[in-house]
Amino acid sequence: MKEYRMNTGTHEISFQLDERQVIYYAALADLPKKQEEASLIEEALDHPYGAERLEDAVPKDGKVVIIVDDASRPTPCARILPHLLARIEQKTKDICIMTAPGTHRPMSEKELDEKIGREILDRYPLLNVDYTKEEDYEYVLTTELGTPVDLHKEVLRADFVLAVGNIVPHVVVGWSGGAKTIQPGVSARRTTDYTHWIGAVRANTMDIVGTLDNICRKEIDYIGSQVNLSYIVNTVLNEKKEIQGLFCGHFIEAHRAGVELAKQLLCPVIDHQADIVIANAAPCCFDFWQAFKPYAFAQFGVKEGGTIIFLFEASEGLCGNAPFHLPALKKYMPMTLDEILKEAEEGKIEDEVGATNAINHHKVIGHAEIICVSDGLADEDYELLQFKKASSVEEAVEMAKARLGKDAEIGIIPFCGETLVKVKGE
């Protein structure tokens, strides 16, 4: 027997397995360390993609808004922002820091301290966006697909908008980062409703993950091209949140370069799918609203009809990070896909983003049995998600083997929230 250890978000767990049955351990790759982080950041800022250097691109005495992603993302903004601010201040002192929660709750003081840093918060004005304040948004345009684009007024007032984010696989847009900081980051609810709805209804979730050629990514990129998105700074990280690559400049060119590195580091190759996959939801372990991503990613590593053992802290339950969507989850999860779409046709859906989570859930739930190990989910949550319950990894493995056989092959994805395994040759 071999002991395996992993961090599930806030604490470390260990479990033992017969290592002869473990056919893969799909860890993220690391680049050889060639330089210190500060040097890496400065070098990236000196060599932007499709744009001038930041200090040259910022208009003199212009109003600059720096948008940062929220606490559900691991982007180390506090370590990057001092480098950005030093360059921007060569041209202007009119700088505001702004959060991009999409339809998540506003960030707490503790989260702001960790994400942005107290010294920066004390020096610059902060706008901790609350998407429920509809008066803060203004209509800009309607796209050819019919998306009504409402953006936060602070973004529209700016002369220069810089978006800081991270690139990982994503279930709605294929890869996060780029213009996603604008939509859904600082867009009004109806804009996010529309883009997520067309992404869920017109495409298969499993065909979107890890691709750029999908309807929702095309729509948010178009929105980025039509509004004042001036510059991006996107990271590719390892499991320790160390920066492996930083991509600066034009929001398409820099983002696509970052995706290429992310594919190399975040998509480990396995020989074949396992009967049983132990998938750790970290770092998407706040609530199921975020954990749907690792839940979906885990499907790529398991055989059809196999078992996913889902390690999920759920410190904020089903939807604590996006509480507005909880009623929709509770309403639509028990319904069939056809029943949800019928409600949509009849104009009865009030929260389309919430409904899309249920739609995507239905599209993957039949692929494998799910046994969840979680301290944060209530019994009714297990029933709602159609997950079986186990108190430990060892118990879950025995439950899976009782169905699949004692010689079932096991795969492990220790950081499944940002890992997309690829089968060799596919």
Side-chain angles (χ1 to χ4, degrees):
M1 301 293 281
K2 179 178 178 179
E3 183 178 55
Y4 295 86
R5 306 181 71 88
M6 60 185 65
N7 192 302
T8 58
T10 62
H11 63 277
E12 194 173 78
I13 66 167
S14 64
F15 51 90
Q16 292 191 334
L17 299 172
D18 183 345
E19 62 183 308
R20 295 171 298 179
Q21 292 182 257
V22 177
I23 62 169
Y24 68 76
Y25 186 92
L28 301 185
D30 268 341
L31 291 175
K33 188 173 182 180
K34 297 180 179 178
Q35 59 195 138
E36 294 302 315
E37 183 175 89
S39 174
L40 183 155
I41 294 171
E42 289 296 326
E43 183 175 318
L45 288 168
D46 282 339
H47 299 90
Y49 291 84
E52 297 177 287
R53 293 194 304 177
L54 182 58
E55 61 270 32
D56 298 322
V58 171
K60 185 173 176 55
D61 298 324
K63 178 179 177 59
V64 174
V65 169
I66 303 175
I67 308 174
V68 299
D69 52 13
D70 74 357
S72 65
R73 272 58 178 171
T75 318
C77 296
R79 306 203 306 263
I80 297 170
L81 285 171
H83 299 270
L84 306 183
L85 291 164
R87 294 185 180 228
I88 293 170
E89 286 187 337
Q90 295 178 28
K91 300 292 282 293
T92 183
K93 297 295 192 293
D94 190 356
I95 304 167
C96 172
I97 312 291
M98 180 178 182
T99 63
T103 55
H104 303 170
R105 60 167 172 75
M107 292 170 67
S108 68
E109 283 300 315
K110 180 175 183 293
E111 290 167 343
L112 289 169
D113 280 350
E114 292 174 354
K115 170 65 71 168
I116 297 171
R118 178 48 51 187
E119 183 179 350
I120 290 174
L121 290 170
D122 288 342
R123 286 177 56 201
Y124 301 91
L126 170 76
L127 181 55
N128 190 13
V129 172
D130 182 347
Y131 81 96
T132 64
K133 296 181 179 179
E134 295 182 3
E135 66 274 14
D136 289 346
Y137 297 83
E138 183 175 312
Y139 171 76
V140 180
L141 57 90
T142 298
T143 71
E144 290 184 6
L145 287 179
T147 304
V149 180
D150 302 331
L151 285 187
H152 200 284
K153 292 176 181 177
E154 192 69 16
V155 173
L156 300 178
R157 294 189 189 109
D159 299 305
F160 191 89
V161 176
L162 190 159
V164 183
N166 184 51
I167 299 174
V168 292
H170 197 272
V171 292
V172 178
V173 298
W175 289 92
S176 65
K180 195 172 180 298
T181 311
I182 296 292
Q183 181 7 251
V186 290
S187 299
R189 176 186 154 195
R190 69 168 184 165
T191 307
T192 302
D193 274 352
Y194 200 93
T195 58
H196 282 57
W197 184 259
I198 60 175
V201 173
R202 299 194 193 183
N204 187 307
T205 305
M206 305 309 286
D207 293 334
I208 291 173
V209 177
T211 72
L212 288 168
D213 186 15
N214 65 76
I215 190 170
C216 197
R217 166 54 68 181
K218 290 177 180 177
E219 188 73 341
I220 70 167
D221 281 348
Y222 176 74
I223 292 170
S225 73
Q226 297 300 302
V227 301
N228 191 22
L229 178 54
S230 312
Y231 219 86
I232 67 166
V233 174
N234 279 184
T235 56
V236 176
L237 307 175
N238 64 12
E239 188 174 336
K240 299 175 184 176
K241 298 185 183 180
E242 295 169 339
I243 298 173
Q244 301 291 284
L246 191 72
F247 298 86
C248 315
H250 187 273
F251 77 93
I252 296 285
E253 294 185 42
H255 178 255
R256 298 306 191 262
V259 168
E260 289 307 307
L261 179 63
K263 287 178 180 178
Q264 296 175 43
L265 302 184
L266 309 185
C267 299
V269 177
I270 60 177
D271 286 331
H272 59 271
Q273 294 173 322
D275 301 302
I276 302 169
V277 169
I278 300 171
N280 179 19
C284 301
C285 48
F286 282 97
D287 58 11
F288 188 72
W289 189 256
Q290 289 302 316
F292 176 77
K293 289 179 280 190
Y295 162 64
F297 299 163
Q299 314 286 331
F300 288 90
V302 68
K303 293 177 183 176
E304 186 170 0
T307 296
I308 294 171
I309 298 173
F310 195 47
L311 312 184
F312 171 36
E313 284 195 358
S315 58
E316 298 191 37
L318 275 180
C319 214
N321 193 245
F324 174 80
H325 301 302
L326 183 58
L329 285 187
K330 290 190 171 182
K331 177 178 181 178
Y332 294 113
M333 283 292 191
M335 296 171 65
T336 67
L337 184 57
D338 287 341
E339 287 171 341
I340 299 172
L341 296 178
K342 186 173 185 295
E343 286 229 343
E345 290 174 4
E346 296 172 352
K348 295 180 179 179
I349 294 181
E350 296 180 358
D351 177 10
E352 289 181 335
V353 173
T356 61
N357 192 295
I359 288 173
N360 289 329
H361 185 78
H362 282 296
K363 288 183 176 181
V364 300
I365 190 64
H367 179 77
E369 170 193 52
I370 311 296
I371 303 175
C372 187
V373 181
S374 174
D375 293 330
L377 292 181
D379 288 343
E380 57 265 30
D381 298 333
Y382 280 94
E383 183 178 353
L384 187 72
L385 298 172
Q386 301 178 55
F387 289 175
K388 294 181 179 179
K389 182 178 181 179
S391 59
S392 67
V393 174
E394 288 87 351
E395 180 187 0
V397 170
E398 291 307 310
M399 290 168 62
K401 285 183 177 181
R403 185 175 69 88
L404 298 170
K406 62 182 179 61
D407 296 322
E409 294 180 321
I410 300 173
I412 301 174
I413 309 178
F415 203 64
C416 199
E418 296 182 357
T419 306
L420 184 63
V421 299
K422 298 288 187 182
V423 177
K424 185 182 296 184
E426 290 186 3

